[in-house]
Amino acid sequence: NGTESSVEVTRRVIDLSTGLETDTVEQVDTSPENALGGRLGILPLNNLEIGGSYAVGLNRSGSSEMTLAGLDARCEWSNLVVKGEYIQRSINRTIARTDISGFYIQSESQWDRWFVVGRYSSLKEEESGRLSDISAGAGYRLDERLQLRGEYSRFVTRSGGAAYLQL
């Protein structure tokens, strides 16, 4: 899943009674010096990998402020790859606790340099509710690092939705 760089979380505090506005900034540092975690994957079959990951983010005083736990799976048959992941993250500060969870399932098939892909993902946050995304795309790989592709995504939230076409 890669190394996560430092994330700066900015909260805007608005005092509605006086109309004053102030900014407060909190640093959630999850760089490798301040996070401990890992992933373990097993191959019960030649074409199936099942894994789990866990990480703890520490604040400047060394206390646990963030936890991240996930389960993932990947299966390959011929030219078809199906993979998915579920992740839950909790940030626990003295002022508030935030829990976010989500998952995705993705299928990709390729023939020589051509490929098609479909994906469904969902994210649930306590305050903003659920965000779901359905995507479909196709493309052509020019080489290992360069590809031409088109993608259509449809996002759905509690307050409505949107569709995007990317070429």
Side-chain angles (χ1 to χ4, degrees):
N1 292 293
T3 301
E4 189 177 335
S5 62
S6 296
V7 176
E8 188 172 279
V9 179
T10 305
R11 290 185 298 111
R12 181 171 295 273
V13 179
I14 300 174
D15 183 351
L16 297 175
S17 62
T18 61
L20 298 176
E21 198 173 291
T22 60
D23 287 335
T24 60
V25 177
E26 290 185 37
Q27 183 75 22
V28 178
D29 194 346
T30 57
S31 62
E33 297 82 26
N34 295 313
L36 177 63
R39 179 182 181 278
L40 176 65
I42 59 170
L43 297 165
L45 302 171
N46 285 340
N47 61 347
L48 175 65
E49 179 183 11
I50 299 172
S53 54
Y54 186 80
V56 176
L58 305 174
N59 61 20
R60 293 175 193 246
S61 66
S63 299
S64 172
E65 191 169 81
M66 180 212 55
T67 58
L68 179 92
L71 295 171
D72 61 88
R74 176 185 171 96
C75 190
E76 296 183 32
W77 297 283
S78 184
N79 64 343
L80 177 67
V81 176
V82 177
K83 60 184 177 177
E85 183 174 25
Y86 173 81
I87 290 196
Q88 180 157 354
R89 183 192 77 181
S90 296
I91 296 180
N92 191 12
R93 297 197 182 103
T94 55
I95 57 169
R97 178 183 170 103
T98 304
D99 292 320
I100 298 173
S101 62
F103 71 93
Y104 78 88
I105 184 140
Q106 177 175 312
S107 176
E108 180 178 332
S109 186
Q110 68 179 48
W111 305 272
D112 194 30
R113 293 178 175 244
W114 292 94
F115 66 91
V116 294
V117 64
R119 179 182 178 115
Y120 176 78
S121 60
S122 182
L123 177 71
K124 182 180 178 188
E125 187 176 19
E126 293 171 359
E127 293 177 12
S128 58
R130 184 169 297 281
L131 169 67
S132 297
D133 168 34
I134 300 171
S135 302
Y140 181 78
R141 295 188 205 291
L142 299 170
D143 68 22
E144 291 179 14
R145 295 175 302 266
L146 184 62
Q147 57 184 252
L148 299 172
R149 66 179 177 184
E151 181 180 339
Y152 173 80
S153 293
R154 172 103 175 112
F155 296 94
V156 179
T157 65
R158 186 177 1 165
S159 60
Y164 299 94
L165 179 62
Q166 176 183 353
L167 299 175

